[in-house]
Amino acid sequence: MTTPSFELGQDHLDLRAWVHDFAAEVVRPAAAEWDEREEFPWPVVEEAARVGLYSLDFVAAQAVDETGLGFPIAMEELFWGDAGIGLSIVGTALAAAGVRATGTDEQVMEWVPAMYGTPGDLKLGAFCSSEPDAGSDVGAMRTRATYDEAHDEWVLDGTKTWATNGGIADVHVVTAVVDPDLRARGQASFVVPPGTKGLSQGQKFHKHGIRASHTAEVVLDGVRVPGRCLLGGKDRLDERLARARAGGGARGNASMATFERTRPAVGAQAIGIARAAYEVALDYAKAREQFGKPIIENQAIAFALADMVTSIEASRLLVWRAAWMARQGKAFGQAEGSMSKLFAGETAVRVTGQAMQILGGNGFTRDYPVERMARDAKIYTIFEGTSEIQRLVIARTVSGAPIR
């Protein structure tokens, strides 16, 4: 049995240093401004494209990393800089993952480059799965895709919500129901090309955190896309639906195939936020004096910091293990992907809250970044599967029981 090694090679060390420097020099100085503006940080993303961080080449390089650790390492450093801007830079990667999860090689080659564009001519991608009345219940999805055989077109109707880059993206990847009787197994994913009529942005959400990341509804009103925009192709879809109707086939669906690929990376993002808050709290505790001594000499503060850094290190190990397993093609026999996202997300919320507590009143003001970090951290127990959904996945996996 292959044993993972988490000793980083020079390539990983160089990657970590490169992304860290970008986060420190470009992302952090801009973080408070774009959080306040609640707008997509185009200048920062353009700079990321200029240096090669926002690019197809960067994503492709991590995709062939035989250890699987490259992307989590990069995510931790980028989100150490700022989560809202970080999501603006990597949001397209979720849409790209959606294409890679179910698309053919030809579709990947056509649509993933179209999501990134080139420096000076940026493009964006958006993955559209959640719906207003469905949320984590992907089996309750109502967006419909109907096949028009005469024109070899699919017609999409419905409303998606909580879509990162929704409405402002050039390429949208949309999951829809093609056979309502099969619920989650009767779904498929479609690419909606740039400029397609009938797709529009609904309301833009004003959020508690990650405010620099654009999140909005996407309305699909009679959206017609060519048959080639069905990811995986119609022959593969027909075969999958036939197996499902016969009571066989995989129990998964188009949305879950994407989320399974991204959960360790999302956990790494949460670690970056937690580590940033911990470092602020540690520095503050060393410098802040009360009753004639630095507050870090108080056992309550020291123990809190000890718990914070321990949780961060444990989270990183869970994330790296899941990322390594995924790259080696090993099944998540105990829902290791969900474990990593669950533990890292809850660590981020706990650590940022403890950082605010250590800073006291200062931690509650915008003069210190932990206030923003705490707001950003909360989403990691909600999006791409709530903590409750992660626990459900883990419980079902380890017990084999249909827990509801």
Side-chain angles (χ1 to χ4, degrees):
M1 178 178 177
T2 304
T3 301
S5 172
F6 295 150
E7 182 177 358
L8 301 183
Q10 192 59 48
D11 287 348
H12 288 131
L13 295 175
D14 291 344
L15 172 66
R16 184 168 65 184
W18 175 55
V19 179
H20 181 86
D21 287 347
F22 181 84
E25 297 169 8
V26 179
V27 174
R28 278 201 168 183
E33 174 189 353
W34 291 99
D35 175 75
E36 194 71 29
R37 292 174 63 166
E38 295 190 60
E39 297 175 0
F40 187 89
W42 286 105
V44 184
V45 181
E46 287 170 357
E47 181 64 14
R50 189 188 68 80
V51 301
L53 184 56
Y54 182 82
S55 71
L56 178 58
D57 288 343
F58 173 75
V59 174
Q62 308 322 311
V64 298
D65 172 20
E66 63 181 14
T67 68
L69 301 184
F71 210 57
I73 288 169
M75 291 303 96
E76 179 178 338
E77 297 307 320
L78 183 59
F79 282 69
W80 170 89
D82 179 67
I85 292 177
L87 280 171
S88 295
I89 293 173
V90 305
T92 292
L94 180 60
V99 174
R100 292 197 305 272
T102 56
T104 63
D105 291 341
E106 292 77 11
Q107 288 171 325
V108 172
M109 292 297 293
E110 178 179 6
W111 294 114
V112 174
M115 295 179 185
Y116 285 92
T118 59
D121 185 25
L122 291 187
K123 306 297 182 183
L124 300 178
F127 184 70
C128 307
S129 175
S130 296
E131 297 190 358
D133 298 322
S136 296
D137 183 7
V138 294
M141 188 179 294
R142 294 183 179 178
T143 296
R144 291 294 305 275
T146 305
Y147 186 54
D148 179 353
E149 188 171 1
H151 298 91
D152 186 27
E153 291 180 333
W154 289 89
V155 184
L156 278 63
D157 289 282
T159 299
K160 295 296 182 177
T161 194
W162 314 120
T164 299
N165 297 341
I168 66 171
D170 299 273
V171 179
H172 291 74
V173 178
V174 178
T175 54
V177 176
V178 295
D179 187 335
D181 293 337
L182 296 176
R183 287 178 57 81
R185 290 187 290 171
Q187 298 172 8
S189 291
F190 300 83
V191 169
V192 181
T196 301
K197 293 181 180 179
L199 184 147
S200 62
Q201 179 183 310
Q203 67 168 316
K204 176 184 175 181
F205 294 104
H206 297 280
K207 307 184 295 294
H208 176 66
I210 56 169
R211 293 178 178 178
S213 175
H214 175 92
T215 310
E217 287 183 333
V218 174
V219 179
L220 304 142
D221 184 7
V223 171
R224 285 183 168 267
V225 298
R228 65 184 179 84
C229 290
L230 166 63
L231 291 177
K234 194 168 187 304
D235 289 344
R236 188 188 299 177
L237 173 65
D238 289 343
E239 291 174 5
R240 179 165 60 83
L241 295 179
R243 289 197 304 271
R245 294 185 189 111
R251 297 179 61 85
N253 61 80
S255 296
M256 290 301 102
T258 300
F259 292 144
E260 279 301 310
R261 294 170 69 98
T262 58
R263 276 174 180 156
V266 172
Q269 295 170 10
I271 295 167
I273 302 170
R275 196 185 100 215
Y278 162 75
E279 289 174 0
V280 173
L282 178 63
D283 290 343
Y284 186 88
K286 289 177 179 179
R288 175 69 166 171
E289 291 192 1
Q290 288 282 290
F291 307 107
K293 62 180 180 181
I295 63 172
I296 198 170
E297 295 183 19
N298 294 321
Q299 189 179 82
I301 301 298
F303 279 15
L305 290 164
D307 287 341
M308 291 159 74
V309 71
T310 300
S311 294
I312 291 168
E313 293 294 326
S315 297
R316 186 181 296 112
L317 287 172
L318 282 170
V319 164
W320 283 14
R321 180 185 66 167
W324 178 85
M325 289 179 66
R327 182 52 43 84
Q328 308 308 313
K330 295 182 180 296
F332 288 159
Q334 292 188 296
E336 287 86 350
S338 290
M339 285 183 180
S340 69
K341 195 269 184 181
L342 168 66
F343 195 80
E346 298 204 338
T347 289
V349 171
R350 185 169 59 253
V351 167
T352 54
Q354 288 174 317
M356 288 182 67
Q357 192 71 21
I358 289 171
L359 269 66
N362 286 327
F364 201 66
T365 71
R366 295 190 181 182
D367 294 332
Y368 288 81
V370 293
E371 177 270 340
R372 184 180 69 251
M373 294 169 184
R375 286 190 284 107
D376 291 342
K378 184 56 190 171
I379 193 62
Y380 286 87
T381 64
I382 298 173
F383 75 171
E384 293 209 39
T386 64
S387 288
E388 290 74 22
I389 287 296
Q390 306 304 331
R391 287 186 169 90
L392 184 62
V393 171
I394 296 165
R396 284 176 173 173
T397 302
V398 300
S399 70
I403 299 168
R404 301 185 185 279

